[in-house]
Amino acid sequence: QVQLVESGGGLVQAGGSLRLSCAASGSIVSINAMGWYRQAPGKQRELVARIISGGTTDYADSVKGRFTISRDNAKDTVFLQMDSLKPEDTAVYYCNADLDGGSGYYTFYWGQGTQVTVSS
């Protein structure tokens, strides 16, 4: 069984920073990509950033230049450094991993979500 456990959310003033962490554990054979999505009230869940096993990264236009995603492959952990936060970044942030949990197929797994609130 695979689990993704997030940490690092909270309340911060506009212009501040937060660092999110997500550790994958369980019967993991291989991880293709890890990333972060977010969902604000009344809105659809959207991709924030992702990092593929080779190190290639992809960011939403709204966070480019402010957020940085990184990964510790040895610890199956992904990080999201969020700088210059804006009130519109307020959302529940979900960790995501595309991994093989022993079935031979890559499947998406989700964390439980962590709240990020940016006050103006």
Side-chain angles (χ1 to χ4, degrees):
Q1 189 161 349
V2 174
Q3 281 190 317
L4 302 180
V5 179
E6 301 132 333
S7 61
L11 173 64
V12 65
Q13 287 188 331
S17 298
L18 283 174
R19 181 176 169 87
L20 305 182
S21 300
C22 172
S25 63
S27 56
I28 299 168
V29 174
S30 175
I31 299 177
N32 178 37
M34 297 187 78
W36 293 91
Y37 287 69
R38 67 186 181 187
Q39 187 166 19
K43 295 189 177 181
Q44 290 189 332
R45 190 173 297 190
E46 62 175 2
L47 173 69
V48 176
R50 65 175 180 171
I51 182 166
I52 303 171
S53 58
T56 301
T57 57
D58 186 23
Y59 294 93
D61 287 343
S62 59
V63 307
K64 283 180 181 177
R66 300 188 297 121
F67 291 11
T68 304
I69 190 169
S70 60
R71 182 172 158 183
D72 184 338
N73 290 328
K75 297 182 179 180
D76 292 335
T77 299
V78 65
F79 305 95
L80 185 68
Q81 178 65 42
M82 304 186 292
D83 298 319
S84 302
L85 282 160
K86 303 176 181 180
E88 51 263 44
D89 294 318
T90 295
V92 177
Y93 284 69
Y94 295 92
C95 177
N96 169 271
D98 180 25
L99 61 85
D100 176 3
S103 67
Y105 299 94
Y106 284 94
T107 306
F108 274 16
Y109 290 84
W110 293 93
Q112 79 282 1
T114 185
Q115 177 70 46
V116 171
T117 303
V118 184
S119 63
S120 57

